[in-house]
Amino acid sequence: GYTVATELLAQDFITLLRNKVVVMAAGARVLDGLVGDIAIPRHSGGATAYWVAESGAPTESQQTFEQVAMSPKTVGAYTDISRKLLKQSSISVENFVRGDLATILGIEIDRASLHGSGSSNQPTGVAATSGIGSVAGGTNGLAPTWAHIVALETEVAVDNADIGALRYITNPKVRGKLKAVAVGTDQRMVWENSPQPLNGYPASVSSQVSSTLTKGTSSGVCSAIFFGNWNDLFIGMWGTLDLLVDPYTGGTAGTVRVIALQDTDIAVRHPESFS
């Protein structure tokens, strides 16, 4: 056995399987090159029409406005590369680490667009945005049905928001369940393999959508299904991705630190556009 050499096939390097990034592909708008805090004006209320008698006058009514505010939140990551790894590796370690750090920041921004808590320095994602439509599958969660899928569409439609880049987004567990759920008493399944697989709309699937949510007594096992006009989701970017190579922090050990930082924020243009 000691006479058999082990050959490292660096050209066939096996990359990590990662969550699919779905939000930008679904139509979210990226506001890049931002500098200061921003506020986007929003028309929040319109005038009222009145029927009046002859010679009567309508009651005065006003339009109302508000602002959608965005300010930078920083997401970052870093990796320390040892001196021997830099000298002995057969792949370009520093470039590999830079690419990996940039990738994981992009994946985290995508996740925060859906599930950002709005606390602990995170932006507020769609699920935590006040005023979005709610379709609850029971007090303690419930297996999804055709009625739930239609209700998600209806929640958006009744607010006149069913326009634009309408799409469902969920995770592989939900897709698997819906492929086994029939529509009524016929043999057609809720999720079908067609160009528009879910209720006549496109649908994206990614493990970015949590399957560890809590609903009542169902702790850490519930999943989410999103529906909405993804053009009404804004992702703000302040500056570009900062990639810093620091040879000094671990200089005595010959360690090189690669740091990645990105300032971003997330805002919903109209909460009514999502359920």
Side-chain angles (χ1 to χ4, degrees), residues 240-272:
T240 57
L241 175 67
D242 293 332
L243 280 169
L244 173 67
V245 178
D246 174 13
Y248 305 110
T249 300
T252 56
T255 301
V256 174
R257 176 168 292 182
V258 182
I259 307 163
L261 298 167
Q262 177 68 59
D263 289 332
T264 187
D265 198 14
I266 294 156
V268 171
R269 184 184 181 201
H270 292 294
E272 299 87 352

Side-chain angles (χ1 to χ4, degrees), residues 8-11 13 81-97:
L8 180 65
L9 301 179
Q11 71 274 15
F13 183 79
I81 310 172
S82 73
R83 177 172 169 271
K84 282 191 175 181
L85 181 60
L86 283 170
K87 285 184 173 296
Q88 295 183 319
S89 177
S90 58
I91 63 173
S92 180
V93 174
E94 186 179 317
N95 286 338
F96 171 77
V97 169

Side-chain angles (χ1 to χ4, degrees), residues 2 6 13 19 28 36 38 43 49 56 72 80 88 90-91 112 126 136 170 179 194 222 237 245 257 272:
Y2 293 116
T6 299
F13 183 79
N19 291 349
I38 66 169
H43 184 193
D80 287 337
Q88 295 183 319
S90 58
I91 63 173
V126 173
T170 191
K179 282 188 173 185
S194 63
C222 292
M237 297 289 188
V245 178
R257 176 168 292 182
E272 299 87 352

Side-chain angles (χ1 to χ4, degrees), residues 40-47 62-68 269-272:
I40 304 170
R42 177 166 62 196
H43 184 193
S44 58
Q62 297 286 346
Q63 296 77 30
T64 56
F65 302 90
E66 58 188 14
Q67 291 181 336
V68 177
R269 184 184 181 201
H270 292 294
E272 299 87 352

